[in-house]
C-alpha cells in the first residue's frame, strides 16, 4: 500500500479546499438560485446560513478529517461503526451531484468553442433553449441525445480523470492555475457588467432586502443548501481533504479564509449576472424579476450577453470566460470524485486509478440522461432532490453525530489546540442546538409545502423519479456501510 497521502504545503491545502469550494456553484448556481428565490430576498437567509451553519460545519469537517485521517464513512466509523452509513450517504450524494455537475461543464465546453464565432448570436436566450439544448416540452419527452453535449461530457470526464490520477499531490499543483486565473477574468466581466445601462435596476433587485420573503420556506431551504453546496460541506469532500493535512495544521483560520473568499466570489458572480439582468430588462422594457427564465440556464444567457457587449475582442473574452468556468469546475468536480474514491479505497483497497476510472465511467453514463433534449428538466429535478434534500440531510446527520455521539467539546478542543485562534462555546451551541433545529424545521416546513405545490410545476411522475434516485442513494449507503470481512 502507498503511504498516506499528504499536501505539499499549507498553501496547497488552502488552494485545494478553495478550489473545491469555488466552482460552478458560485458562477452558475448561486446567481440562478438567488434570482429564482427573489434576489435581495435570498441574501439574508444566505448569510444567516453561512455564519450559523456553513462556517461551523466547515470547521467540524476539517477537525474530523484531520483527527481521524480518514474518508467520511471511516471518520464516522472510527467513533461509531453504526454511523458509517451517514458518511457514505454524504459521498453518495456528492456522487449524484457530480453526474450533472459534469454536464454543466459539458455545456461550458461547448460554449467555449462557440465563443470563437460568437455562435450564440445577438440573442443568447433564443440560442440556448431552442438551438443548443433543443429543449423538449416536458421531462418525459426525451427526444434523443444531443451529440454536442455528449462530446463535451466526454471531454469533461477525460479531463477530470487525468486531473486526479495522481491524487493529492497533483491536485495541489493544478489549483494554482485554476483558482487564481478565474478570479481575474471574473473581475473584468464584473466591471463590464456594472457599467451597462440599466445595471442599477438589476443591482437594486439583487441587493434590496425583502423581509416578507423570509416567510417562504423554500427561500430558507435553498439558502442552506446553497451554502452547503458552495462550501462543499456535507459531501465528505472537506473531511477527505483535511485527512491529507500534515499533523500540525491550522484548521480554524483556514475554514474562515476558505468560506469568506468563496462567498465573496459568489457575490461578484451575482453582481455580474444581476447587472446584466438589469440591462436586459432595460432593453426589453420589463421588470428585472421577469426578464428571463428562472432556472439552471441563466448563466448561459447572461454571460454571453455581457460578452457580446465588450467593445472589442469578444471572442477572446468569451473563450476566456468559458475556459475559466471549466477551470473553476474541474477542481470541484474532481474533489467530488476524490471523496468517493477515498472512501472506496478505504473500504476495498483497490488501486486509485482503477477506482477513479470506474467512478468516472458510471457517473458519465448516468449523466447521459442530462444530455437528452429533456435534460434540463431532469437536471433541475435531480438538483432539487440531491442538493436540497440530500445535502441538507447529510449535513444534519453530521451535526447530530458530532453533537450527540462523539461530543462537540472534544472536537472543539482538538481544533483549538491546533489553530492560531480559538473558537468558543458558541460553536458547540451551533452544532448541538441551532443547526439541528433549523435544518429539521426547514426540511419539515418544505415537505409540507411541496406536498401542496409540486416543485416548479413538474408532474408527480417526474418528481417521483428524482425522489427515487435520492432513495437509491440512501439504500446504497446502507449497503456500502456493511463490512463483510475484516
Ligand atoms: N463547491 C462546489 C461549487 O460551488 C461544488 C462542490 C460541491 C464541489 C461539493 C465539491 C464538493 O461549485
Amino acid at each position: 500500500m502507498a503511504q498516506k497521502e499528504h499536501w505539499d504545503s499549507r498553501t496547497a491545502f488552502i488552494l485545494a479546499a478553495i478550489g473545491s469550494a469555488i466552482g460552478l456553484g458560485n458562477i452558475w448556481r448561486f446567481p440562478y438560485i438567488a434570482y429564482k428565490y427573489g434576489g435581495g430576498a435570498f441574501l439574508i437567509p444566505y448569510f444567516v446560513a453561512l455564519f450559523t451553519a456553513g462556517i461551523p460545519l466547515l470547521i467540524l469537517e476539517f477537525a474530523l478529517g484531520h483527527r481521524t485521517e480518514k474518508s467520511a464513512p471511516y471518520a464516522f466509523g472510527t467513533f461509531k461503526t453504526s454511523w458509517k452509513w451517514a458518511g457514505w450517504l454524504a459521498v453518495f450524494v456528492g456522487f449524484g451531484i457530480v453526474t450533472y455537475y459534469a454536464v454543466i461543464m459539458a455545456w461550458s465546453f461547448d460554449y467555449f468553442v462557440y465563443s470563437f464565432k460568437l455562435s450564440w448570436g445577438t440573442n443568447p436566450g433564443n440560442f440556448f433553449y431552442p438551438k443548443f439544448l433543443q429543449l423538449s416540452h416536458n421531462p418525459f419527452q426525451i427526444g434523443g441525445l444531443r451529440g454536442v453535449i455528449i462530446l463535451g461530457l466526454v471531454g469533461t470526464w477525460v479531463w477530470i480523470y487525468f486531473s486526479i490520477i495522481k491524487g493529492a499531490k497533483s491536485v495541489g499543483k493544478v489549483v494554482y492555475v485554476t483558482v487564481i486565473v478565474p478570479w481575474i477574468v471574473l473581475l473584468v466581466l464584473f466591471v463590464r457588467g456594472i457599467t451597462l445601462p440599466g445595471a442599477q435596476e438589476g443591482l437594486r433587485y439583487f441587493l434590496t432586502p425583502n423581509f416578507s420573503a423570509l416567510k417562504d420556506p423554500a427561500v430558507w431551504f435553498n439558502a442552506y443548501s446553497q451554502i452547503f453546496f458552495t462550501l462543499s460541506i456535507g459531501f465528505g469532500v472537506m473531511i477527505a481533504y483535511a485527512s491529507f493535512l500534515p499533523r500540525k495544521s491550522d484548521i480554524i483560520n483556514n475554514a474562515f479564509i476558505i468560506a469568506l473568499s468563496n462567498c465573496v466570489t459568489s457575490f461578484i458572480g451575482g453582481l455580474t449576472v444581476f447587472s446584466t439582468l438589469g440591462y436586459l430588462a432595460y432593453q426589453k422594457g420589463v421588470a428585472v424579476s421577469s426578464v428571463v427564465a428562472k432556472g439552471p440556464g441563466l448563466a448561459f444567457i447572461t454571460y454571453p450577453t455581457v460578452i457580446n457587449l465588450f467593445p472589442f475582442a469578444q471572442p477572446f473574452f468569451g473563450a476566456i470566460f468559458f475556459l475559466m468556468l471549466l477551470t473553476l469546475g474541474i477542481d470541484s468536480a474532481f474533489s467530488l470524485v476524490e471523496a468517493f474514491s477515498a472512501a472506496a479505497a478505504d473500504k476495498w483497497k483497490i488501486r486509485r486509478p482503477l477506482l477513479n476510472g470506474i467512478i468516472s465511467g458510471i457517473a458519465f453514463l448516468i449523466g447521459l440522461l442530462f444530455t437528452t433534449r429533456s435534460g434540463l428538466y431532469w437536471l433541475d429535478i435531480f438538483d432539487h432532490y440531491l442538493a436540497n434534500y440530500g445535502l441538507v440531510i447529510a449535513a444534519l446527520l453530521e451535526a447530530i453525530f458530532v453533537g450527540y455521539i462523539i461530543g462537540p467539546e472534544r472536537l472543539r478542543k482538538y481544533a483549538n489546540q491546533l489553530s492560531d485562534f480559538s473558537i468558543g462555546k458558541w460553536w458547540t451551541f451551533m452544532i448541538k442546538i441551532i443547526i439541528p433545529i433549523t435544518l429539521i424545521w426547514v426540511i419539515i416546513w418544505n415537505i409540507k409545502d411541496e406536498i401542496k405545490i409540486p416543485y416548479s410545476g413538474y408532474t408527480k411522475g417526474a418528481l417521483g423519479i428524482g425522489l427515487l434516485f435520492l432513495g437509491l442513494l440512501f439504500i446504497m449507503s446502507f449497503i456500502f456501510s456493511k463490512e463483510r470481512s475484516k
Side-chain angles (χ1 to χ4, degrees):
M1 269 315 289
Q3 236 189 323
K4 184 80 198 162
E5 298 173 89
H6 277 297
W7 301 106
D8 279 343
S9 67
R10 167 174 176 167
T11 340
F13 166 73
I14 296 191
L15 282 176
I18 291 185
S20 165
I22 301 185
L24 303 178
N26 306 67
I27 313 291
W28 156 76
R29 198 174 190 276
F30 173 75
Y32 93 74
I33 296 287
Y35 187 45
K36 188 164 175 178
Y37 296 99
F42 185 73
L43 287 181
I44 299 175
Y46 180 80
F47 284 108
V48 170
L50 170 65
F51 289 106
T52 60
I55 294 177
L57 285 175
L58 192 57
I59 296 174
L60 180 154
E61 291 207 356
F62 282 166
L64 200 59
H66 187 266
R67 163 78 215 274
T68 57
E69 291 188 87
K70 295 211 168 76
S71 62
Y74 293 86
F76 279 63
T78 306
F79 297 96
K80 198 148 188 114
T81 329
S82 56
W83 269 75
K84 236 188 231 165
W85 70 273
W88 277 110
L89 180 67
V91 296
F92 266 109
V93 169
F95 171 78
I97 286 179
V98 81
T99 63
Y100 65 81
Y101 199 86
V103 175
I104 308 294
M105 291 183 63
W107 295 355
S108 313
F109 233 114
D110 292 340
Y111 267 66
F112 167 70
V113 177
Y114 291 153
S115 336
F116 291 96
K117 290 195 178 152
L118 299 179
S119 314
W120 51 71
T122 48
N123 187 338
N126 281 352
F127 176 78
F128 182 70
Y129 298 109
K131 300 214 179 79
F132 177 60
L133 297 182
Q134 297 184 2
L135 189 62
S136 64
H137 295 295
N138 65 61
F140 289 109
Q141 195 180 59
I142 303 275
L145 297 156
R146 293 283 295 126
V148 279
I149 305 181
I150 297 184
L151 265 177
L153 194 60
V154 172
T156 301
W157 275 114
V158 169
W159 191 16
I160 295 176
Y161 178 75
F162 283 104
S163 309
I164 33 177
I165 209 156
K166 293 196 205 84
K169 289 246 160 64
S170 68
V171 175
K173 291 196 190 85
V174 179
V175 290
Y176 277 100
V177 185
T178 60
V179 172
I180 295 162
V181 176
W183 248 94
I184 301 170
V185 180
L186 190 59
L187 280 178
V188 174
L189 255 74
F190 162 67
V191 170
R192 176 68 274 220
I194 56 163
T195 49
L196 291 173
Q200 276 187 2
E201 247 340 279
L203 292 180
R204 187 164 314 138
Y205 184 71
F206 181 44
L207 299 176
T208 314
N210 170 356
F211 293 97
S212 66
L214 300 182
K215 286 190 235 118
D216 181 358
V219 172
W220 286 94
F221 202 21
N222 279 279
Y224 276 92
S225 61
Q226 175 59 22
I227 282 293
F228 298 156
F229 190 98
T230 198
L231 295 180
S232 309
I233 293 171
F235 296 89
V237 169
M238 294 306 193
I239 299 181
Y241 270 18
S243 76
F244 304 150
L245 274 172
R247 290 297 83 201
K248 235 193 111 21
S249 302
D250 189 303
I251 287 178
I252 298 168
N253 234 345
N254 285 347
F256 275 91
I257 296 175
I258 291 160
L260 296 177
S261 54
N262 174 72
C263 291
V264 169
T265 312
S266 293
F267 203 67
I268 298 180
L271 292 174
T272 313
V273 166
F274 279 87
S275 48
T276 315
L277 288 172
Y279 165 79
L280 287 171
Y282 166 84
Q283 265 199 328
K284 295 187 186 166
V286 294
V288 176
S289 61
S290 62
V291 65
V292 289
K294 290 179 169 144
L298 183 64
F300 292 83
I301 295 163
T302 49
Y303 294 110
T305 304
V306 189
I307 290 159
N308 280 347
L309 291 164
F310 268 84
F312 53 87
Q314 293 116 330
F316 171 75
F317 286 108
I320 286 272
F321 173 74
F322 285 104
L323 194 62
M324 159 194 112
L325 214 53
L326 287 169
T327 56
L328 279 180
I330 190 80
D331 38 13
S332 303
F334 67 54
S335 71
L336 284 169
V337 178
E338 272 277 315
F340 197 103
S341 91
D346 276 347
K347 186 173 171 70
W348 286 300
K349 314 267 176 270
I350 304 178
R351 287 186 317 116
R352 271 304 185 70
L354 178 63
L355 260 179
N356 290 331
I358 298 172
I359 298 169
S360 308
I362 298 176
F364 168 78
L365 289 177
I366 298 176
L368 288 177
L369 173 63
F370 312 116
T371 68
T372 63
R373 288 184 51 199
S374 62
L376 182 76
Y377 302 122
W378 292 114
L379 201 153
D380 191 19
I381 293 170
F382 275 52
D383 183 69
H384 176 63
Y385 284 108
L386 295 180
N388 283 349
Y389 288 100
L391 201 48
V392 173
I393 291 173
L396 170 65
L397 289 172
E398 207 169 75
I400 293 180
F401 179 70
V402 172
Y404 296 92
I405 308 285
I406 70 177
E409 279 299 297
R410 217 162 128 192
L411 216 54
R412 183 172 77 89
K413 294 211 177 91
Y414 180 76
N416 279 347
Q417 144 244 319
L418 280 169
S419 308
D420 291 343
F421 75 91
S422 308
I423 36 171
K425 285 246 163 58
W426 63 269
W427 183 80
T428 301
F429 183 65
M430 293 292 164
I431 301 293
K432 257 188 121 137
I433 315 281
I434 299 292
I435 298 177
I437 290 181
T438 11
L439 296 187
I440 291 174
W441 166 69
V442 162
I443 292 172
I444 294 178
W445 194 17
N446 264 275
I447 293 179
K448 257 178 56 193
D449 248 41
E450 242 182 79
I451 294 172
K452 275 185 270 159
I453 315 158
Y455 172 67
S456 280
Y458 290 111
T459 59
K460 289 220 173 74
L463 291 173
I465 290 180
L467 196 57
L468 208 68
F469 189 70
L470 180 63
L472 196 68
L473 297 182
F474 269 85
I475 295 171
M476 294 298 285
S477 13
F478 276 113
I479 297 177
F480 271 56
S481 68
K482 299 277 166 269
E483 300 287 334
R484 234 177 287 148
S485 56
K486 244 196 212 163

